[in-house]
Amino acid sequence: MDALDLARWQFGVTTVYHFLFVPLTIGLGVFVAGLQTAWHRTGKEQYLTLTKFFGKLFLINFAMGVVTGIVQEFQFGMNWSEYSVFVGDVFGAPLALEALLAFFLESTFLGLWIFGWEKLPKRVHLATIWAAVIGSNLSAYFILAANAWMKHPVGYEVVDGKARMTDLWAVLTNSTALAQVPHVVAAAFVVAGGFVLAVCGYRILRERRADPDRTRPLRRGATDMWRTPMRAALVMTAIAGAVVAGSGDMSAKLLYEQQPMKLAAAEGLRHDTAGAPFSPVPGLEVPMLLSFLATNDPQAVVHGTEDLQARFTKQFGPADYRPNLPVVFWSFRVMIVFGMATVGLSVLGLWLTRKRRGKQGPPRATPSWLARACLLALPLPTVAMIAGWLLSEIGRQPWTVQGELLTAASVSPGVSLGEVAVSLALFTALYGALALAEAVLIARHVKAGPEPVTAHRPDTPSSSGGRSGDGENTAAGLQPTLMY
């Protein structure tokens, strides 16, 4: 093991940890904005209660994501200076747009949303959360565009050993980015939907344990309140899952053209094969399915890892151009299986909680076993998304920039094995403590449940500085979260 190996481990550990918060922030922000929109349109206090409840969870996650994301930028200068020198001119534009436009938009309007309860007009306050959501999605777009350039570099030229951007629009509209953005963002909605399902399932079970006969009106009403976000999360997860599948098919076809080694490694295909089969698991093959998925032609030739290794050796020089084959192979299958399980759970949940047709009375109650199954919706999509990230990034190895810069040539030349080992140990310990803090805060908030709120009347100023008379109660529902 050398400094390169540990530097890769450090970047992988910190990125996977940071990646736990990014998709949840993207999807949960839209979910909270949707709840507040429903309250704005209907005036029902239930939606205000849910907005503030899930809003706290959103803010806790957002704060942790910001803290852990800062470390990513430090690593470019610490461990990957040669990479930074090569890609700096290209990466500068999308990363500057992400920081100066998207993140500032997101953080500014999120601050207005936090402190604007009872101070801003109702419509303006609603607009602030939607502006923050737009900012988070723009941030994802610029980051993914930069990442897509590493897999399929376009709009550049190499001058004196450095990449120089020649066409920013080509970088931002890279075909890989146009397929990757909807895939990753839709997967983020699946992760957020699974998180909401787990929270709702827990709250339903907790309410029923407190009132097993469902006789107390307060308890019955509290249980019924969770049906609304659960149904919304089921719909969001099912629709986003369909988008993930469609964009994933598009990405597979691009892999055939742009990253054939990654495609071959993901399928465990060793040699060029016409009518290549698809293997769900080793030993089981579906004839010609891989060729059809990659090209829409069941008889097309799909290149294998060994034959590609021989071609790349002639083209780029002696090196091992194959990624870690077992990791790529199994990451692909974990991503598919866990993702399909989450979407399947959402479709089943929609059917079991559907409205009664032609009958009077309350809607179907959520079965307790379904509420328990919803707890699985927390880890399943998260593991699927991490597996997808491993497939995407490890499958690109040994390149940091496909066809241009090897990972071995990207590491900082002056960093020693001991220095990287110390920083890796410190970051791992720090992130472990942050993970514990995050888990405790979220668990405590979910266990406590939503706080009672009173009607929001922002357009009726009181005599105390523009606040309505019940402003202290409602505003206090979100502001203390900042202290965390």
Side-chain angles (χ1 to χ4, degrees):
M1 182 172 291
D2 54 21
L4 171 62
D5 297 321
L6 281 188
R8 289 182 62 191
W9 269 102
Q10 180 170 302
F11 199 89
V13 168
T14 55
T15 302
V16 167
Y17 187 88
H18 175 62
F19 204 56
L20 294 174
F21 307 106
V22 173
L24 187 54
T25 296
I26 294 172
L28 195 56
V30 174
F31 190 80
V32 171
L35 288 173
Q36 186 168 346
T37 301
W39 169 63
H40 176 78
R41 292 177 62 88
T42 66
K44 293 182 179 179
E45 189 174 302
Q46 173 190 8
Y47 290 119
L48 176 60
T49 302
L50 291 170
T51 299
K52 296 203 169 193
F53 176 75
F54 285 104
K56 276 190 176 181
L57 296 174
F58 167 67
L59 291 175
I60 294 171
N61 186 79
F62 176 82
M64 198 66 68
V66 171
V67 171
T68 57
I70 294 175
V71 176
Q72 301 304 102
E73 299 177 4
F74 290 161
Q75 289 187 83
F76 289 127
M78 293 166 55
N79 295 340
W80 302 101
S81 61
E82 293 298 315
Y83 165 82
S84 300
V85 169
F86 181 82
V87 305
D89 185 71
V90 177
F91 264 40
L95 293 185
L97 288 170
E98 188 275 333
L100 299 177
L101 175 62
F103 182 72
F104 279 10
L105 176 69
E106 179 183 17
S107 56
T108 298
F109 282 98
L110 190 58
L112 290 172
W113 183 71
I114 294 171
F115 294 105
W117 290 96
E118 305 296 340
K119 296 181 178 70
L120 295 174
K122 194 174 179 181
R123 289 185 179 181
V124 174
H125 188 260
L126 175 62
T128 61
I129 185 63
W130 279 112
V133 166
I134 292 172
S136 66
N137 282 270
L138 281 176
S139 180
Y141 180 86
F142 292 128
I143 292 294
L144 291 172
N147 179 266
W149 185 86
M150 298 164 63
K151 302 168 184 173
H152 179 53
V154 295
Y156 77 105
E157 62 181 2
V158 177
V159 179
D160 297 329
K162 301 177 183 179
R164 292 287 183 263
M165 182 185 294
T166 59
D167 190 345
L168 174 60
W169 184 248
V171 173
L172 296 180
T173 59
N174 189 344
S175 59
T176 302
L178 295 180
Q180 185 170 276
V181 169
H183 188 69
V184 174
V185 172
F189 283 105
V190 175
V191 171
F195 177 82
V196 173
L197 287 177
V199 171
C200 293
Y202 172 81
R203 291 303 310 175
I204 288 173
L205 293 173
R206 184 176 176 86
E207 294 291 342
R208 287 179 179 174
R209 283 196 298 268
D211 183 19
D213 298 326
R214 304 184 205 176
T215 56
R216 285 178 283 179
L218 177 62
R219 292 297 182 185
R220 185 169 62 251
T223 302
D224 293 342
M225 181 181 69
W226 300 105
R227 174 185 170 83
T228 298
M230 173 177 279
R231 288 279 300 178
L234 289 169
V235 171
M236 182 172 73
T237 304
I239 295 176
V243 176
V244 170
S247 56
D249 178 71
M250 186 188 308
S251 297
K253 290 176 171 56
L254 289 175
L255 287 182
Y256 177 79
E257 301 172 2
Q258 300 169 1
Q259 294 180 280
M261 182 66 83
K262 182 189 294 186
L263 178 64
E267 297 300 339
L269 190 68
R270 293 172 55 86
H271 299 286
D272 296 353
T273 305
F278 177 82
S279 302
V281 294
L284 176 63
E285 295 183 346
V286 181
M288 297 184 289
L289 182 57
L290 177 57
S291 292
F292 178 76
L293 292 175
T295 67
N296 289 330
D297 179 2
Q299 297 297 333
V301 175
V302 179
H303 303 296
T305 56
E306 300 304 318
D307 294 316
L308 286 170
Q309 168 66 22
R311 294 190 191 101
F312 289 167
T313 300
K314 292 181 181 179
Q315 182 178 358
F316 301 109
D320 188 355
Y321 296 97
R322 294 163 296 190
N324 189 314
L325 300 180
V327 171
V328 175
F329 181 86
W330 287 109
S331 294
F332 180 56
R333 278 142 187 83
V334 169
M335 177 186 69
I336 292 178
V337 171
F338 281 46
M340 290 180 62
T342 305
V343 175
L345 176 63
S346 67
V347 173
L348 176 63
L350 285 173
W351 172 257
L352 293 175
T353 59
R354 69 192 186 280
K355 293 183 178 179
R356 302 173 186 268
R357 290 188 176 181
K359 295 182 180 181
Q360 300 296 325
R364 290 178 174 87
T366 303
S368 295
W369 68 265
L370 177 62
R372 294 187 184 92
C374 284
L375 299 179
L376 295 175
L378 180 61
L380 287 178
T382 302
V383 172
M385 197 157 193
I386 291 176
W389 181 85
L390 293 175
L391 167 67
S392 177
E393 302 309 309
I394 294 180
R396 190 181 65 247
Q397 296 299 318
W399 301 101
T400 47
V401 180
Q402 185 72 31
E404 290 288 355
L405 184 67
L406 290 168
T407 305
S410 304
V411 70
S412 300
V415 174
S416 67
L417 176 64
E419 291 171 336
V420 182
V422 170
S423 62
L424 174 59
L426 291 176
F427 280 136
T428 302
L430 174 62
Y431 276 23
L434 290 176
L436 180 61
E438 165 92 357
V440 169
L441 288 173
I442 288 181
R444 182 183 298 171
H445 180 58
V446 172
K447 185 177 181 180
E451 300 175 358
V453 297
T454 52
H456 180 95
R457 294 189 296 273
D459 296 314
T460 307
S462 70
S463 59
S464 58
R467 270 183 152 181
S468 61
D470 54 4
E472 290 187 7
N473 292 334
T474 52
L478 284 172
Q479 293 177 10
T481 307
L482 292 180
M483 293 186 293
Y484 296 134

